[in-house]
Amino acid sequence: MSETWDIAVIGGGNAALCAAITAAEAGARVVILEAAPKPYRGGNSRHTRNFRCMHDGPLGPLVESYTEDEYLADLLKVTGGKTHEGLARVAIRSSEECLPWMQDHGVRFQPSLSGTLSLARTNAFFLGGGKGLVNAYYRTARKLGVTVLYEAAVAHLERAEDRIVWLDYTHEGKNHRIHPKAVVVASGGFQADTDWLARAWGPAAKNFLIRGTPYNRGVVLADLLDQGVEQVGDPTQCHAVAIDGRAPKFDGGIVTRLDCVPFSIVVNKEAERFYDEGEDVWPKRYAIWGRLVAAQPDQVGFVIIDAKSLSLFMPSVFPPIEAESIEALADKMGLPPDRLRATVDAFNAACGDTSKFHPTELDGVTTTGIDPPKTNWARPITEPPFYGYSLRTGVTFTYLGLKVDERAQCSVGNRPVANLWAAGETMAGSILGQGYLAGFGMTIGTVFGRIAGKEAAAHANAS
Amino acid sequence: MQMLADLIAEARRQAEICNACRYCEGYCSVFPALHRERAFSDGDITHLANLCHNCRGCYYACQYTAPHEFDLNLPRALAEVRQDSWKAHAWPAGFANLFDRSGVAMAALLSLGFALMFALSQGMRPENGAGFYAYMSHGLMAAIFAPAFLLPLAALAVSLRGYWRTVGGGAVRWADLRGALASAGRMRNLKGGHGDGCNFEDEDRFSHARRHFHQATLYGFLLCFASTSSGTVLHYVFGVEAPYGLFSLPKLLGLPGGFLLCVGTAGLAWLKTKADPGLGAPSAWGGEMAFVLLLFVVSATGLILYAATGTAAVAWLLPLHLGTVLTLFLLTPYSKMAHGFYRLAALTREASRRPAEPV
Ligand SMILES: Cc1cc2nc3c(=O)[nH]c(=O)nc-3n(C[C@H](O)[C@H](O)[C@H](O)COP(=O)(O)OP(=O)(O)OC[C@H]3O[C@@H](n4cnc5c(N)ncnc54)[C@H](O)[C@@H]3O)c2cc1C
Ligand code: HEM
Ligand code: SF4
Ligand code: SF4
């Protein structure tokens, strides 16, 4: 590649595109280096459905209002206080102007999806989901003259003192070296590198499924951390949920999630229950089940429900395994039949009055005298046919990342790297220490992608 | 009335994935209809297939298209079922295969029709008569075209009754029909939920090109139809005979109608050459193209015929034009021409199920 670039943007997801578009609009010559082939462009962003947006009064598809303080309080709740408040406020405040900016750059919104009414006030849904968003941004970027290279995997950034002096990538089987004036890293986390996950988590991680793209392997992240660029978070932190055990290893996306746990009992491969399935409403609990399942033998779980619960939750991609008796179901699922029978019998015996059962509220219909208890929606499993799903841990993203400041700039020691910015998943750990708030990933990517693009362009234009 | 099980099964497989995803909910009427169900009967799938306008929004936005193993291509799966549903409901059933051979059937009928008209206009040329009637008497034209128009419509009515039963439709309410007509009139489902249009000729770029060309075709056809009807009324009710002047109702309706139909079909054919055939039913492509071209020839020969009034060319232009019209009429129940009827039925059915919202 003989051309010279002002700015190289590493990655092809939401954060990368927001940065590239902003920089190109500021007059910079921009190249996007996307590791994935075109059909898989867009990283984890192609799997998303909404972003969380502050707003004072109705805005686009969003109803009522959602203030900065309420947004921040929601964030502090899920992270248990482990939030960088300064950066979080930057993300929250800017989210409001992001929505019209997104519309101006081709993104279209739709009303909150059926089954997700609880998010109608806080989260703006993309029409066609994240791939629709990514498609629109690629079209906009192309119109602005941004060059996009697919199957262009960045292998190394060379740091000398406080600058990145070149970067190496492969493209169409060849190695290339370019010397851009500025670099924006937006290449996501490292969750698709299961060896790295296994080093942090132990061998159990080999059994995890990766919900999103196989291309986020943390190559650039590792390369920069090795060269002393400031790190944030630790490699054991990741967002993981329990998903259908039959999901593909990568890219299963949203359709593999299972919402039936509150109406079920969940057992491990010894057919024993291990946690209160009815602790809270599912949106508040689904993120802990990834870790719960990860802690079980072989990292698998099995959800058992009966006929009366089948229509209480959103359908998922694979039909449940079905049988006329508990023993037959155990057989089909590879569980010890007598043990499952005993577990179900014990659970059923512990159920009491179910007349107050209410599927969408904490109904207090609880078990008595078993451990672990089921504290809501505890109805005996008695009505054939019986249904089962297997569960595995599905990793959404990792938190280990590059530490950035309010201008999205990376640093070495306490000095900024003069021409290096980071946006999106790869720096999200700078804001969230743990936990996750639905729709905040895309907010971080959009806000800091735009900041990084603007700063990088200013740097390139000045030099 | 047997539909192909594997086509339905494939559409059902995909619909179940969409039902777990729902990201495309806002694009069209198909998704809200789909999300209402948990399990899909054959009738449900047939209904969804005829509701789908093949706008392709849900293909380009889908994170599960090939090479992903889920291999989503809902526009194609529904197009295949749709095409099959028209064949399965064709009456008499023996003609169903014409759907697969529309091009051949049209060419054959066209030659036959032309030959017949030519022979009649030469052999049974009236003693007196002005304009076209110098070649063929009004009585003879009516004797040919009244049955050629009404019999296919009757056959189509039988098909539609069968279709209505398949999708479990109930009594037809006027309000539902009105809702369907309003939706078809604006081609709401080719607008995309955002109003930016559909994806067709240039991958994931949204445009109104297809919608606008279809509008031209649809309204052009309706104007031409109205023109002929007004002529019939003038003839039988008011005793005013053709040829009609430029400012008569048949001409005021027919000229813009013919022009719109010409432009619309030319545009649709052009777009079709640029679009990815893999997002429709590939086996139906030829027949669809033949249908678009037939409509083009109907309108083009009609306009040329008008321009050629009084010249010797009328001797062969008239039979050619009448031959194309005859072909179009006769094949209505067994060609793409049937789509308007089935789609109206699907929109009506949908309106009856979601009374408060537009379809
Ligand atoms: C199933 C699923 C659903 C989700 N739903 C939501 C949601 O609804 N709302 C929300 O806010 N968040 C959601 N998230 C989280 C969200 O996806 C991320 O927060 C967000 O997409 C991160 O954007 P990004 O641009 O930083 O990374 P990505 O979109 O993952 O982009 C990273 C890019 O970097 C490329 N890349 C990686 N390594 C290299 C390399 N060495 N060289 C070149 N390119 C490289 C990748 O190919 C990819 O294009 C979801 C995640 C998943 C998995
Ligand atoms: C009555 C309501 C009608 C509806 C709802 C309707 C709907 C549609 C839709 C959704 C398409 C695109 C998808 C497809 O190819 O199947 C289409 C294509 C088409 N329609 Fe219609 N239509 C109607 C009436 C008509 C009429 C009256 C005509 C003209 C006689 C017409 C002519 C065409 C043509 C030529 C195509 C293009 C086929 C192609 O590209 O392959 N339509 N119609
Ligand atoms: S077409 Fe794809 S993105 Fe759209 S609803 Fe279906 S599965 Fe989801
Ligand atoms: S192709 Fe268009 S009309 Fe058909 S289902 Fe997809 S989005 Fe709806």
Side-chain angles (χ1 to χ4, degrees):
Chain A
M1 181 94 1
S2 58
E3 286 174 74
T4 55
W5 307 106
D6 294 330
I7 299 172
V9 176
I10 306 172
N14 176 53
L17 289 159
C18 289
I21 289 170
T22 307
E25 281 180 338
R29 285 164 304 168
V30 182
V31 62
I32 287 180
L33 302 170
E34 158 65 302
K38 190 177 174 203
Y40 285 122
R41 71 183 182 185
N44 278 355
S45 302
R46 62 203 287 282
H47 285 291
T48 63
R49 55 182 187 174
N50 61 34
F51 89 113
R52 188 170 285 254
C53 183
M54 170 187 128
H55 54 107
D56 182 20
L59 175 69
L62 298 164
V63 298
E64 299 166 29
S65 58
Y66 188 43
T67 63
E68 179 177 339
D69 288 340
E70 189 185 358
Y71 197 149
L72 185 69
D74 285 345
L75 200 55
L76 292 173
K77 217 180 319 169
V78 294
T79 57
K82 286 197 181 178
T83 306
H84 186 298
E85 192 177 323
L87 292 180
R89 281 194 189 271
V90 170
I92 292 170
R93 267 184 221 141
S94 314
S95 66
E96 188 167 21
E97 64 176 49
C98 282
L99 194 143
W101 184 88
M102 294 162 82
Q103 285 176 322
D104 288 345
H105 293 85
V107 177
R108 294 292 174 265
F109 293 93
Q110 61 184 339
S112 176
L113 305 179
S114 52
T116 64
L117 275 183
S118 58
L119 296 171
R121 186 171 66 88
T122 54
N123 291 47
F125 284 74
F126 318 130
L127 181 55
K131 189 167 170 199
L133 170 140
V134 162
N135 288 347
Y137 281 157
Y138 274 103
R139 288 225 166 242
T140 303
R142 224 165 57 190
K143 256 189 244 149
L144 291 168
V146 173
T147 300
V148 178
L149 299 183
Y150 299 109
E151 300 181 62
V154 175
H156 175 61
L157 307 188
E158 178 71 13
R159 178 175 79 87
E161 299 300 319
D162 68 341
R163 297 188 65 76
I164 299 299
V165 286
W166 75 68
L167 75 78
D168 290 334
Y169 68 95
T170 57
H171 183 54
E172 291 171 346
K174 287 204 209 85
N175 298 324
H176 300 268
R177 174 165 297 175
I178 54 174
H179 302 78
K181 292 179 189 162
V183 177
V184 176
V185 182
S187 46
F190 71 86
Q191 66 278 358
D193 183 351
T194 39
D195 291 336
W196 190 346
L197 275 183
R199 285 200 297 280
W201 266 80
K206 294 267 178 196
N207 284 331
F208 294 173
L209 303 174
I210 310 305
R211 299 177 67 208
T213 181
Y215 296 95
N216 288 0
R217 304 177 51 82
V219 174
V220 173
L221 179 61
D223 178 63
L224 289 172
L225 296 183
D226 282 350
Q227 297 180 70
V229 176
E230 274 321 293
Q231 155 178 344
V232 66
D234 73 84
T236 63
Q237 282 296 326
C238 67
H239 182 266
V241 305
I243 60 173
D244 195 308
R246 295 164 291 182
K249 179 77 183 171
F250 294 103
D251 260 337
I254 192 79
V255 298
T256 61
R257 82 188 175 313
L258 282 174
D259 294 348
C260 55
V261 169
F263 310 115
S264 75
I265 61 167
V266 179
V267 300
N268 58 20
K269 66 179 245 196
E270 267 98 47
E272 279 158 3
R273 290 178 60 244
F274 51 89
Y275 198 82
D276 177 0
E277 300 89 348
E279 193 176 42
D280 206 338
V281 291
W282 188 238
K284 295 209 177 139
R285 275 295 157 267
Y286 87 126
I288 70 163
W289 278 86
R291 279 162 190 275
L292 291 171
V293 170
Q296 297 305 310
D298 288 352
Q299 295 72 51
V300 283
F302 301 88
V303 194
I304 313 290
I305 60 170
D306 68 359
K308 61 181 175 288
S309 298
L310 189 65
S311 58
L312 296 179
F313 53 92
M314 282 261 292
S316 66
V317 63
F318 302 109
I321 294 160
E322 180 181 339
E324 285 304 313
S325 71
I326 290 291
E327 287 81 358
L329 186 65
D331 232 20
K332 284 190 179 171
M333 299 186 73
L335 294 169
D338 48 335
R339 305 263 288 275
L340 185 63
R341 175 86 261 166
T343 299
V344 170
D345 284 347
F347 172 79
N348 289 350
C351 292
D353 177 15
T354 61
S355 60
K356 298 218 166 52
F357 175 81
H358 195 297
T360 54
E361 285 165 19
L362 294 175
D363 61 5
V365 172
T366 179
T367 55
T368 39
I370 50 165
D371 189 46
K374 182 173 177 186
T375 50
N376 286 289
W377 310 292
R379 292 195 297 178
I381 309 241
T382 46
E383 241 178 68
F386 301 97
Y387 299 96
Y389 296 91
S390 60
L391 287 180
R392 279 189 186 277
T393 302
V395 181
T396 320
F397 51 77
T398 48
Y399 283 97
L400 171 74
L402 302 170
K403 187 170 172 19
V404 300
D405 62 13
E406 298 203 349
R407 294 160 59 199
Q409 195 157 18
C410 298
S411 53
V412 174
N414 50 15
R415 281 183 310 142
V417 182
N419 62 348
L420 183 65
W421 287 267
E425 212 56 80
T426 204
M427 48 63 76
S430 302
I431 305 173
L432 306 175
Q434 63 177 33
Y436 181 66
L437 191 60
F440 200 46
M442 292 297 276
T443 305
I444 293 177
T446 311
V447 170
F448 285 91
R450 290 176 61 203
I451 294 176
K454 182 170 148 239
E455 297 289 332
H459 176 85
N461 290 341
S463 57
Chain B
M1 219 165 339
Q2 196 58 46
M3 289 180 58
L4 291 175
D6 47 347
L7 293 182
I8 293 201
E10 173 59 13
R12 179 180 290 124
R13 178 189 77 84
Q14 298 195 24
E16 283 170 357
I17 296 178
C18 293
N19 209 12
C21 169
R22 310 200 167 185
Y23 284 9
C24 294
E25 189 158 275
Y27 276 126
C28 66
S29 302
V30 171
F31 290 96
L34 197 159
H35 300 159
R36 257 195 326 252
E37 315 290 339
R38 214 183 157 87
F40 303 96
S41 69
D42 290 4
D44 293 335
I45 295 289
T46 306
H47 172 60
L48 296 176
N50 281 279
L51 203 52
C52 167
H53 280 43
N54 195 247
C55 80
R56 307 179 171 204
C58 68
Y59 175 84
Y60 290 107
C62 184
Q63 64 275 32
Y64 298 123
T65 51
H68 193 285
E69 64 187 86
F70 290 168
D71 194 15
L72 258 281
N73 184 345
L74 195 64
R76 176 181 181 148
L78 293 181
E80 307 243 39
V81 171
R82 185 163 63 240
Q83 180 77 4
D84 186 50
S85 74
W86 299 344
K87 278 160 67 179
H89 292 95
W91 186 87
F95 288 138
N97 285 334
L98 287 178
F99 272 108
D100 290 336
R101 291 189 228 115
S102 294
V104 181
M106 280 173 197
L109 261 181
L110 202 58
S111 332
L112 266 175
F114 174 68
L116 178 72
M117 294 298 149
F118 192 74
L120 288 177
S121 64
Q122 295 296 327
M124 297 177 63
R125 195 158 173 168
E127 308 275 294
N128 50 16
F132 308 143
Y133 300 140
Y135 294 89
M136 200 185 283
S137 73
H138 187 274
L140 182 60
M141 279 198 212
I144 295 169
F145 280 88
F149 175 63
L150 294 173
L151 288 179
L153 279 189
L156 193 59
V158 177
S159 301
L160 286 171
R161 211 183 53 188
Y163 172 82
W164 200 246
R165 226 177 282 131
T166 301
V167 299
V172 180
R173 286 182 309 179
W174 174 234
D176 299 337
L177 194 59
R178 216 170 40 214
L181 287 170
S183 173
R186 280 171 291 134
M187 275 299 126
R188 205 186 67 83
N189 281 290
L190 280 187
K191 258 190 181 167
H194 39 41
D196 294 347
C198 68
N199 297 142
F200 194 60
E201 64 280 5
D202 182 18
E203 297 189 352
D204 59 27
R205 185 170 67 88
F206 291 94
S207 99
H208 286 290
R210 194 168 184 220
R211 178 165 161 264
H212 288 158
F213 283 130
H214 189 277
Q215 296 293 62
T217 304
L218 168 65
Y219 286 109
F221 178 84
L222 291 180
L223 283 173
C224 291
F225 190 72
S227 156
T228 313
S229 307
S230 69
T232 310
V233 171
L234 284 179
H235 185 98
Y236 288 108
V237 180
F238 298 99
V240 184
E241 295 201 3
Y244 301 107
L246 186 58
F247 292 103
S248 64
L249 209 47
K251 285 282 162 9
L252 285 177
L253 293 168
L255 279 177
F259 184 71
L260 279 176
L261 191 53
C262 236
V263 171
T265 49
L268 284 174
W270 173 64
L271 291 179
K272 205 170 173 62
T273 61
K274 312 189 98 190
D276 182 349
L279 305 194
S283 65
W285 195 94
E288 288 171 352
M289 194 54 140
F291 171 66
V292 182
L293 294 178
L294 177 66
L295 278 176
F296 177 79
V297 179
V298 167
S299 53
T301 52
L303 289 176
I304 296 170
L305 187 58
Y306 175 63
T309 308
T311 71
V314 174
W316 59 271
L317 271 174
L318 180 69
L320 181 60
H321 180 63
L322 293 181
T324 59
V325 176
L326 191 65
T327 306
L328 180 69
F329 281 0
L330 288 177
L331 283 178
T332 292
Y334 318 112
S335 70
K336 182 68 180 259
M337 189 63 195
H339 80 282
F341 298 89
Y342 282 100
R343 290 183 178 289
L344 268 184
L347 289 168
T348 307
R349 168 106 185 87
E350 192 51 23
S352 75
R353 305 195 64 186
R354 26 190 326 237
E357 296 157 76
V359 282

